[in-house]
Amino acid sequence: MQHVFSALSRKDHLKRMTVEDYDVLVIGGGITGAGIALDAQTRGMKTALIEMQDYAAGTSSRSTKLVHGGLRYLKQFEVRMVAKVGKERAVVYENGPHVTVPEWMLLPLYKDGTFGVATTSLGLRVYDRLAGVKRDERRKMLSLEETLEKEPLLKRHGLKGGGYYVEYRTDDARLTIEVLKKAAETGVNAVNYAKAEKFIYEGGKLVGVKVRDVMDGELYTIKARKIVNATGPWVDNLRKLDQSLQGKKLRLTKGIHLVFDGNRFPLRQSVYFDTPDGRMVFAIPRDGKTYVGTTDTDYTGDIANPRMTIQDEKYLVDVSNYMFPELKLTVSDVESSWAGLRPLIYEENKAPSEVSRKDEIICSASGMITIAGGKLTGYRKMAETVTDLLDRELRSAGHGPFAPCSTLTLPISGGDVGGAAKFPEFVRLMIERGERLGLTRKAAETLTCRYGTNVTSVYDHVIEYIRGGEQYGLPADVYAALIYGIEEEMVVKPIDFFIRRTGAVLFNTNWVEQWKQGVISVMADNLGYSDKQVEEYTRELNVELSGAVEPVGV
């Protein structure tokens, strides 16, 4: 059986795209493009999406992995943006409780620090109001003793107390995948490793794209009434291809994160702290690890492969030791890292961390719609704004009518548990079911929290494994997740599975090393890899593993 989002039917999707009559073609399979595709299709616009790498391979798998309202933007008087994206946090959580969880954040307050007690109390109260925070998640002000009780590792010198408020932790890549899977379920044709190479015009208007299948080099033509450029750091490249790169342009800044083992950095509590140079940094415990980030520096290198530098790594180790001095961390304690790019709108005479994170829509004379800037948290609202514009333009050209936006209360794939409040009970029941299949409690919990309601399909593959999947030397939970990934999450290469479907290259490199040969063997058999492809994809995975640990020396 082939599914609507299967790596086994990628070529079929591409062939179908050449004969379909689309209202909308979205270029870019990050969170912004995914959100637009879902919104457009559910309103009744026939929609397709292409992505030149894997889904979420750019910025959407390289963020701080928080759906947060941007408390620090209040300092820059970005009140409207805080209000807009702050309210979206709860929406993202309700629609996908398996990929987003509330996370209490501690903001330690120091004598001569950026934040004073009175201003923080007021700022957090305003934040609660702007973001429409639920009563039981509203901010609390903590005494010195209460602050240290929450996190004993904090620097004690000058500590006065703390602010305590709720943000939401997410898996950014899985959030993107689940939005795309929902889009595919509703009728979107989406294909990864499909690159827009040339635009097609009629009477000066953009009507289609020549698309190269990156996997085999074959060229396809896809036509659509409206084309959306949602390529994140690459939006100016497409505007250049459209000969419309004028006026506002992007400014790319790079942010890196470091991952430490929880035994070496035993953080109890997520902390948001200011650094000696006036920046703000997160330290967040996650699945037995602690990650710290982020930096904010201008970037002009290879957009597809931003890397941690020696200076980046040293900076985050130093600021970690500044806030948690007992740890005495060194670069040798870093288990892994990731680097991502922020596609910000260029502003004159602004430092990287001062540039606004607001989104902007740019319309070219050819009719191409570009969405630039923005934040992970606001993806659904950005998509709604872009799709409202698509609705107006398509209707003015005689198409439609289309339904209103429905994504405010639309669960994403895996999230349909009847509301976030019911998710814990669902997890309990699915853990019990997994244990009855022979999985360990931890494996069943991991699968349930990763896949949400789709875990039942993953469990079907556990049963398959019991009937004869042991030949690859993989445990049942890894095998089941991989087969599900190939058949229902368009996993094309090993790096797709190990980086973006499981996050293991970022948070569990030992797990990757342990199972990579078995995973590659399963993929080779299921996807028909040649010996050359096995060699190439193994090398590609090893490059990612070493790149996560070894900084570049510039």
Side-chain angles (χ1 to χ4, degrees):
M1 176 184 174
Q2 290 194 0
H3 304 274
V4 293
F5 204 61
S6 170
L8 303 171
S9 53
R10 254 187 88 258
K11 295 298 285 184
D12 294 338
H13 279 303
L14 275 168
K15 287 170 187 167
R16 192 178 311 129
M17 286 175 170
T18 65
V19 296
E20 292 282 8
D21 186 23
Y22 291 107
D23 292 306
V24 179
L25 171 63
V26 179
I27 305 174
I31 189 62
T32 305
I36 294 165
L38 176 60
D39 196 345
Q41 183 71 35
T42 51
R43 294 196 203 193
M45 302 173 198
K46 190 161 183 57
T47 304
L49 179 145
I50 56 172
E51 163 58 51
M52 71 172 181
Q53 303 182 99
D54 182 30
Y55 306 114
T59 301
S60 296
S61 59
R62 300 164 183 262
S63 74
T64 305
K65 306 186 187 304
L66 289 173
V67 175
H68 69 109
L71 175 65
R72 75 181 179 85
Y73 304 128
L74 280 181
K75 286 169 63 182
Q76 299 167 2
F77 302 104
E78 299 254 19
V79 174
R80 184 176 296 175
M81 189 182 75
V82 172
K84 184 168 79 169
V85 301
K87 289 186 173 71
E88 285 295 304
R89 300 176 312 162
V91 175
V92 177
Y93 173 49
E94 281 297 323
N95 290 340
H98 60 308
V99 287
T100 307
V101 293
E103 181 89 3
W104 280 95
M105 192 71 62
L106 177 61
L107 180 69
L109 305 174
Y110 287 89
K111 185 182 178 184
D112 302 325
T114 303
F115 294 92
V117 174
T119 55
T120 298
S121 179
L122 177 61
L124 287 173
R125 185 174 293 162
V126 171
Y127 187 64
D128 283 349
R129 181 67 59 84
L130 289 173
V133 174
K134 292 181 282 192
R135 185 177 295 276
D136 61 344
E137 294 183 356
R138 288 179 189 166
R139 68 98 177 90
K140 302 166 185 172
M141 297 305 294
L142 306 179
S143 68
L144 169 61
E145 292 75 18
E146 289 170 326
T147 301
L148 286 172
E149 192 177 315
K150 294 287 184 195
E151 186 43 71
L153 290 174
L154 285 170
K155 174 171 67 105
R156 299 185 177 221
H157 181 69
L159 183 63
K160 297 166 71 176
Y164 203 49
Y165 67 105
V166 167
E167 294 287 21
Y168 290 76
R169 182 162 55 84
T170 192
D171 182 323
D172 50 4
R174 287 218 56 86
L175 174 63
T176 304
I177 296 298
E178 300 292 30
V179 173
L180 279 163
K181 282 158 63 183
K182 185 66 174 184
E185 288 166 24
T186 61
V188 171
N189 291 129
V191 176
N192 52 0
Y193 296 104
K195 183 181 181 182
E197 283 207 344
K198 187 179 179 184
F199 287 141
I200 301 164
Y201 299 88
E202 288 176 9
K205 292 297 179 184
L206 185 54
V207 296
V209 182
K210 294 277 187 187
V211 177
R212 180 83 58 189
D213 183 349
V214 175
M215 301 302 293
D216 63 12
E218 201 169 335
L219 201 60
Y220 297 83
T221 299
I222 303 173
K223 295 285 192 77
R225 296 183 178 93
K226 297 300 300 182
I227 291 171
V228 178
N229 172 12
T231 55
W234 288 267
V235 296
D236 282 357
N237 295 26
L238 260 69
R239 291 171 70 205
K240 197 178 292 181
L241 191 64
D242 182 51
Q243 298 184 331
S244 60
L245 183 55
Q246 55 200 24
K248 293 190 174 178
K249 296 180 183 177
L250 283 191
R251 175 179 180 176
L252 299 181
T253 71
K254 183 183 74 174
I256 76 133
H257 296 78
L258 304 182
V259 179
F260 301 88
D261 186 78
N263 292 319
R264 184 65 185 88
F265 194 156
L267 194 69
R268 288 188 194 172
Q269 162 71 57
S270 289
V271 179
Y272 188 37
F273 62 95
D274 54 346
T275 62
D277 61 351
R279 293 203 64 257
M280 296 296 298
V281 167
F282 289 100
I284 299 170
R286 170 178 163 157
D287 301 331
K289 309 290 180 183
T290 294
Y291 70 96
V292 180
T294 180
T295 56
D296 209 347
T297 53
D298 283 313
Y299 186 78
T300 55
D302 178 4
I303 298 176
N305 297 292
R307 289 277 303 276
M308 163 181 73
T309 66
I310 291 169
Q311 291 94 321
D312 293 332
E313 184 177 44
K314 183 179 184 305
Y315 174 82
L316 283 183
V317 169
D318 286 348
V319 299
S320 298
N321 284 327
Y322 164 78
M323 186 49 59
F324 309 101
E326 292 174 26
L327 294 174
K328 296 181 171 53
L329 297 166
T330 69
V331 293
S332 63
D333 293 314
V334 176
E335 279 199 353
S336 61
S337 70
W338 68 90
L341 302 179
R342 303 176 192 85
L344 309 176
I345 309 297
Y346 182 81
E347 292 179 72
E348 202 74 52
N349 302 319
K350 288 274 185 91
S353 59
E354 293 174 336
V355 179
S356 173
R357 271 54 178 166
K358 66 177 180 289
D359 52 278
E360 190 128 0
I361 296 172
I362 303 164
C363 301
S364 75
S366 71
M368 182 172 76
I369 295 171
T370 294
I371 175 72
K375 285 166 55 63
L376 175 74
T377 308
Y379 88 88
R380 191 205 64 83
K381 200 69 186 168
M382 279 195 289
E384 184 178 349
T385 305
V386 172
T387 313
D388 285 346
L389 175 60
L390 288 167
D391 177 283
R392 291 193 297 273
E393 295 200 355
L394 285 166
R395 278 193 291 112
S396 71
H399 305 288
F402 304 109
C405 177
S406 62
T407 58
L408 184 69
T409 55
L410 181 68
I412 59 176
S413 185
D416 198 0
V417 292
K422 296 183 179 177
F423 188 61
E425 176 62 9
F426 171 81
V427 171
R428 187 185 68 77
L429 292 171
M430 287 300 107
I431 289 173
E432 289 176 2
R433 183 168 168 184
E435 287 180 309
R436 287 196 296 273
L437 288 172
L439 296 177
T440 66
R441 183 172 186 82
K442 182 164 176 46
E445 183 178 13
T446 297
L447 293 178
T448 303
C449 292
R450 183 190 298 157
Y451 298 106
T453 53
N454 291 320
V455 75
T456 54
S457 298
V458 181
Y459 282 170
D460 289 344
H461 297 300
V462 172
I463 295 166
E464 266 174 45
Y465 173 87
I466 293 163
R467 290 178 186 149
E470 304 100 321
Q471 59 184 314
Y472 296 100
L474 295 174
D477 57 312
V478 178
Y479 176 85
L482 178 59
I483 297 297
Y484 177 80
I486 292 167
E487 292 186 354
E488 301 198 45
E489 295 192 335
M490 215 173 278
V491 169
V492 175
K493 296 182 179 185
I495 56 169
D496 305 341
F497 180 71
F498 281 121
I499 300 176
R500 289 166 289 273
R501 304 305 184 278
T502 63
V505 167
L506 308 186
F507 291 103
N508 199 345
T509 52
N510 290 338
W511 189 86
V512 182
E513 294 288 358
Q514 188 174 7
W515 305 123
K516 66 182 182 182
Q517 281 316 124
V519 164
I520 291 168
S521 296
V522 172
M523 294 189 71
D525 288 352
N526 280 269
L527 294 169
Y529 290 168
S530 65
D531 290 344
K532 185 180 175 186
Q533 283 175 309
V534 168
E535 189 180 318
E536 179 189 338
Y537 299 156
T538 303
R539 185 172 60 248
E540 190 176 48
L541 176 58
N542 289 334
V543 165
E544 290 289 346
L545 282 165
S546 64
V549 182
E550 295 296 327
V552 292
V554 294

